[in-house]
């Protein structure tokens, strides 16, 4: 199967459809693997009225007039971005929009630009796990301090020596409280609630010193009293995440089986 992209804009296609001329024209496409030749969607195709932006086709029927795509199926551009195809080119993580920790995905995510084929068709941006360990650790550190990872850390609001977001600012990485926290997280590859819980299982005092540096001096005693609660919250959250994942997977299987029965 080959991928092709419509040459004309969606506005042009909509204008033809509005004027009732779309059924008389073969829509021109650019093939991902053909450098100099364009292919066409036949006006009698069931997809002719929609003229999707992206399609896959199984072959080409060459006539005296032009080459037509055969066995054509419409696809979404997002599918190409997520296909892991060698034809898909993904950029490095973007600084804007800024990377962030997603509690539902339990991961530090970053946006990436994506293009496809030798023609560099622009695809929808991809949201992927951040590939840089230092940057991911910094973002996770800010989320942890800001109460977005564990509910127990929300009690620290107003008690920190600096806003939690400053942990993610690269220019402040030289400050001891910033650098030591990021280094500790990176050393254990802790960029999620699950990996934090695993690290605390191995080493219950992990991060106690580094997090203490972020609390104002007169409030640091609170960390000692709340530490065991944080460990319990992390373990409980991971258990709940696993149960939710199992429930979601089971629901998808039932839905799939139901669809199969309908056919």
């Amino acid at each position: 199967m080959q991928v092709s992209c419509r040459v004309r804009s969606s506005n042009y296609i909509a204008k033809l459809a509005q004027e009732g001329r779309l059924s008389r024209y073969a829509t021109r496409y650019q093939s991902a693997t053909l450098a100099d030749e364009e292919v066409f969607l036949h006006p009698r195709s069931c997809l002719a009225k929609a003229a999707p932006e992206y399609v896959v086709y199984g072959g080409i029927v060459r006539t005296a007039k032009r080459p037509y795509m055969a066995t054509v199926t419409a696809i979404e551009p997002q599918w190409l971005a997520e296909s892991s195809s060698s034809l898909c080119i993904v950029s490095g993580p973007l600084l804007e929009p800024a990377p962030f920790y997603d509690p539902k995905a339990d991961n530090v995510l970053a946006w990436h630009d994506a293009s496809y084929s030798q023609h560099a068709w622009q695809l929808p941006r991809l949201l992927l796990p951040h590939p840089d360990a230092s940057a991911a650790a910094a973002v996770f550190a800010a989320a942890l301090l800001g109460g977005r990872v564990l509910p127990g850390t929300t009690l620290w609001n107003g008690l920190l020596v600096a806003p939690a977001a400053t942990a993610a600012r690269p220019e402040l990485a030289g400050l001891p409280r910033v650098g030591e926290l990021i280094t500790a997280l990176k050393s254990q590859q802790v960029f999620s609630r699950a990996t934090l819980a695993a690290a605390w299982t191995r080493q219950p005092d992990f991060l106690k010193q580094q997090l203490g540096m972020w609390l104002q001096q007169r409030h640091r005693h609170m960390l000692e009293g709340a530490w065991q609660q944080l460990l319990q919250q992390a373990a409980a959250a991971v258990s709940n995440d696993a149960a939710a994942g199992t429930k979601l997977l089971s629901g998808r299987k039932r839905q799939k089986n139901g669809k199969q029965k309908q056919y």
Side-chain angles (χ1 to χ4, degrees):
M1 301 295 285
Q2 301 294 328
V3 179
S4 62
C5 176
R6 191 186 62 228
V7 174
R8 294 288 191 176
S9 70
S10 56
N11 289 337
Y12 178 82
I13 297 298
K15 182 181 178 181
L16 287 181
Q18 186 177 13
E19 296 173 353
R21 295 189 293 148
L22 190 59
S23 60
R24 303 197 302 269
Y25 288 88
T27 307
R28 193 183 347 166
Y29 281 76
Q30 187 178 53
S31 176
T33 55
L34 299 177
D36 303 318
E37 183 182 30
E38 292 177 333
V39 293
F40 293 81
L41 180 64
H42 198 280
R44 293 185 179 178
S45 167
C46 63
L47 295 176
K49 289 185 178 181
E53 183 179 11
Y54 288 94
V55 299
V56 293
Y57 63 96
I60 295 177
V61 177
R62 297 186 180 277
T63 68
K65 194 172 184 180
R66 57 174 62 96
Y68 290 105
M69 296 179 291
T71 319
V72 186
T73 303
I75 60 172
E76 297 293 333
Q78 187 70 30
W79 301 349
L80 295 176
E82 297 171 352
S83 66
S84 301
S85 166
S86 59
L87 294 176
C88 186
I89 302 170
V90 180
S91 74
L94 302 178
L95 297 179
E96 292 293 337
F100 63 96
Y101 171 75
D102 183 353
K104 290 185 178 180
D106 190 26
N107 215 335
V108 174
L109 305 176
W111 289 101
H112 300 251
D113 283 329
S115 61
Y116 194 86
S117 86
Q118 58 187 316
H119 308 296
W121 302 328
Q122 291 302 304
L123 300 177
R125 281 179 171 173
L126 285 173
L127 192 57
L128 301 171
H130 205 302
D132 184 83
S134 295
V139 173
F140 185 74
L144 180 61
L145 291 166
R148 297 194 300 278
V149 179
L150 296 173
T153 56
T154 58
L155 300 175
W156 301 347
N157 291 340
L159 307 182
L160 300 178
V161 296
T166 58
R169 291 172 56 180
E171 69 272 19
L172 299 181
L175 293 177
R177 67 172 179 272
V178 177
E180 291 188 24
L181 178 56
I182 292 174
T183 298
L185 291 168
K186 184 180 175 182
S187 69
Q188 297 292 326
Q189 296 291 291
V190 172
F191 316 127
S192 67
R193 188 168 47 239
T195 51
L196 176 60
W200 275 341
T201 299
R202 298 188 301 268
Q203 185 181 344
D205 285 340
F206 174 65
L207 293 186
K208 183 184 284 187
Q209 177 181 347
Q210 290 81 6
L211 291 176
M213 295 173 67
W214 279 84
L215 287 172
Q216 297 172 18
Q217 183 71 41
R218 65 181 183 275
H219 296 303
R220 288 181 183 174
H221 67 280
M222 295 176 58
L223 184 62
E224 186 66 37
W227 193 252
Q228 193 60 37
Q229 181 185 6
L230 290 179
L231 270 61
Q232 293 172 356
Q233 285 181 354
V238 171
S239 178
N240 291 338
D241 290 344
T246 301
K247 184 177 180 180
L248 178 62
L249 181 60
S250 177
R252 286 177 176 173
K253 286 182 177 179
R254 288 195 300 269
Q255 186 179 26
K256 182 179 179 181
N257 292 336
K259 288 183 177 180
Q260 289 175 343
K261 290 178 181 178
Q262 289 174 6
Y263 294 120

